[in-house]
Amino acid sequence: MTNLIDASLARTRTMVTLLLFLLVAGFYTYQTIPKESDPDITIPVIYVSVATKGSRRKTLSDSWFAL
C-alpha cells in the first residue's frame, strides 16, 4: 500500500491530470443521465389491526401508550 502512495506522490502532475479527467468525466456523465422531473413512486402502506374481546378501547390505548 505504501508503494502506491509513494508512486502517487512522486508523479503529482499525472495524479492531478487523472483527478481532473475523472472530475470532468463525472460531471459530463451526471449531466447526460436521463432524469425524470416527477417520477411515479408508490409508497407502501401497512395497516395493522388487532381485535381483542373483552377490552375497552380506552384500556387498550392506555396500555399501548404506557410502553
Side-chain angles (χ1 to χ4, degrees):
M1 186 66 169
T2 59
N3 291 336
L4 179 65
I5 295 171
D6 290 338
S8 299
L9 291 174
R11 297 171 181 86
T12 56
R13 192 174 296 163
T14 303
M15 296 312 297
V16 170
T17 304
L18 180 64
L19 175 66
L20 288 174
F21 173 75
L22 288 174
L23 285 172
V24 169
F27 182 74
Y28 173 76
T29 304
Y30 178 75
Q31 293 298 322
T32 58
I33 289 176
K35 299 172 200 71
E36 194 171 333
S37 62
D38 191 20
D40 280 338
I41 299 173
T42 57
I43 300 172
V45 177
I46 299 173
Y47 177 75
V48 178
S49 177
V50 178
T52 57
K53 284 188 164 188
S55 296
R56 291 184 296 177
R57 185 179 301 178
K58 178 74 174 155
T59 306
L60 287 175
S61 66
D62 288 344
S63 64
W64 174 257
F65 290 115
L67 297 175

